[in-house]
């Protein structure tokens, strides 16, 4: 009777695993669960050392998924503190960074401002950002702010790995990057300054601020100023 119970438990465990696997195959979970499941989609380690990139994320599950993945993902240093990662990147030991936009104590716009400062010191830096939601306005904003690609964490692991391994060149987005003056205007708007107050703060004529606003809206593919204000409010939220 005891052996029969053991056999039944084994059968139940096998059936549970079979159902879980079928559910995962029909509805793939978001990254990095796919990393632990679809190992066949990942490239085999090459003979040469992979190009070193830094991963910046506060998501422990994401970090563990990357650390347990086959090469080259498992070679990437993982930082849970953005400032530590940026200091390491300033030293020039890594060719690029993959930065999670979510889960930080600071707003996204402040994180992007820090990345822009880093970009001035490391113009050769290759950047990519991770986000779990599909928001075209935020993606366009990030591309214009930092000349970087945005990777959706909820897509197939094969595509994610391909993007992570690719060379993130700035050529495609160079003409769509916000200038320093335009970025200062956006930062002040995010802090609640009116356009006239921004003109006084930057010591520029009011009509120049209005002109810059038009250029910013065109660059970000926004139809009106209200869309820009809503986007800035979203990016200024610590829980964005």
């Amino acid at each position: 009777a005891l052996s029969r119970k053991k056999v039944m438990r084994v059968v139940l465990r096998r059936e549970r695993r079979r159902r879980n696997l079928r559910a995962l195959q029909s509805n793939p979970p978001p990254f990095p669960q796919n990393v632990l499941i679809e190992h066949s989609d990942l490239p085999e380690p090459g003979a040469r050392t992979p190009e070193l990139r830094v991963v910046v994320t506060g998501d422990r599950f994401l970090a563990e998924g990357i650390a347990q993945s086959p090469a080259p993902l498992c070679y990437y240093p993982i930082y849970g503190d953005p400032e530590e990662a940026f200091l390491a990147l300033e030293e020039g030991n890594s060719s690029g960074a993959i930065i999670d936009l979510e889960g930080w104590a600071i707003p996204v716009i402040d994180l992007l401002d820090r990345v822009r400062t880093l970009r001035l010191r490391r113009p050769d830096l290759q950047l990519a950002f991770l986000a779990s939601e599909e928001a075209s306005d935020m993606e366009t904003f990030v591309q214009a702010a930092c000349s970087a690609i945005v990777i959706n964490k909820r897509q197939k692991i094969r595509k994610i790995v391909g993007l992570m391994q690719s060379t993130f060149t700035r050529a495609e987005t160079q003409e769509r990057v916000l200038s320093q003056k335009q970025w200062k205007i956006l930062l002040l708007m995010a802090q609640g300054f009116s356009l006239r107050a921004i003109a006084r703060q930057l010591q520029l004529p009011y009509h120049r601020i209005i002109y810059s606003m038009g250029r910013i809206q065109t660059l970000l593919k926004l139809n009106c100023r209200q869309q820009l204000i809503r986007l800035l409010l979203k990016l200024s939220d610590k829980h964005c």
Side-chain angles (χ1 to χ4, degrees):
L2 183 61
S3 61
R4 185 175 181 181
K5 289 182 179 179
K6 288 183 178 180
V7 170
M8 289 299 296
R9 282 199 293 267
V10 170
V11 171
L12 289 174
R13 282 198 297 267
R14 287 179 179 174
E15 178 64 17
R16 192 179 297 116
R17 284 197 297 268
R18 185 182 65 81
R19 290 181 180 179
N20 291 341
L21 182 59
R22 180 183 298 174
L24 290 173
Q25 290 173 343
S26 61
N27 186 20
F31 182 74
Q33 289 100 316
N34 290 15
V35 173
L36 306 179
I37 297 168
E38 302 181 30
H39 281 184
S40 60
D41 287 341
L42 295 167
E44 295 296 326
R48 61 188 181 88
T49 303
E51 193 173 8
L52 186 64
R53 294 191 177 97
V54 165
V55 177
V56 188
T57 180
D59 188 337
R60 294 182 179 179
F61 186 64
L62 173 63
E64 183 66 19
I66 294 174
Q68 297 298 325
S69 298
L73 290 184
C74 61
Y75 294 142
Y76 295 170
I78 301 174
Y79 290 86
D81 183 355
E83 284 304 319
E84 290 183 7
F86 295 151
L87 289 174
L89 289 168
E90 287 176 1
E91 296 176 357
N93 296 328
S94 301
S95 63
I98 302 166
I99 304 171
D100 195 349
L101 286 174
E102 302 161 353
W104 305 114
I106 61 174
V108 171
I109 196 166
D110 290 346
L111 180 67
L112 296 178
D113 186 47
R114 183 65 180 86
V115 173
R116 280 178 65 94
T117 303
L118 175 64
R119 175 75 92 181
L120 293 175
R121 300 177 182 178
R122 289 282 312 276
D124 62 318
L125 202 62
Q126 301 164 358
L127 295 175
F129 290 92
L130 294 173
S132 62
E133 62 174 288
E134 293 184 0
S136 58
D137 54 353
M138 181 182 292
E139 183 175 343
T140 303
F141 188 93
V142 171
Q143 290 174 345
C146 300
S147 185
I149 65 172
V150 179
I151 301 174
N152 182 4
K153 293 190 288 186
R154 295 189 179 274
Q155 61 187 339
K156 287 286 188 178
I157 183 59
R158 181 182 301 171
K159 188 173 182 180
I160 294 173
V161 173
L163 289 170
M164 284 184 171
Q165 290 183 272
S166 64
T167 301
F168 306 137
T169 61
R170 304 181 66 191
E172 296 180 359
T173 56
Q174 186 65 44
E175 296 180 356
R176 295 178 284 136
V177 177
L178 293 163
S179 67
Q180 283 297 101
K181 183 178 75 173
Q182 292 170 339
W183 183 250
K184 288 179 181 178
I185 292 173
L186 289 174
L187 288 179
L188 291 171
M189 284 187 67
Q191 295 172 27
F193 284 85
S194 67
L195 295 185
R196 291 194 180 276
I198 292 173
R200 290 193 296 268
Q201 186 84 3
L202 299 181
Q203 298 181 351
L204 291 171
Y206 178 67
H207 72 273
R208 295 298 303 173
I209 300 298
I210 296 297
Y211 175 77
S212 295
M213 285 298 301
R215 295 293 300 272
I216 290 171
Q217 288 175 207
T218 301
L219 196 64
L220 299 179
K221 302 178 181 178
L222 300 174
N223 297 323
C224 62
R225 194 180 303 170
Q226 292 302 318
Q227 286 182 318
L228 176 60
I229 292 173
R230 285 195 294 269
L231 179 58
L232 290 175
L233 287 173
K234 182 179 180 180
L235 294 171
S236 301
D237 187 359
K238 291 183 179 181
H239 303 287
C240 176

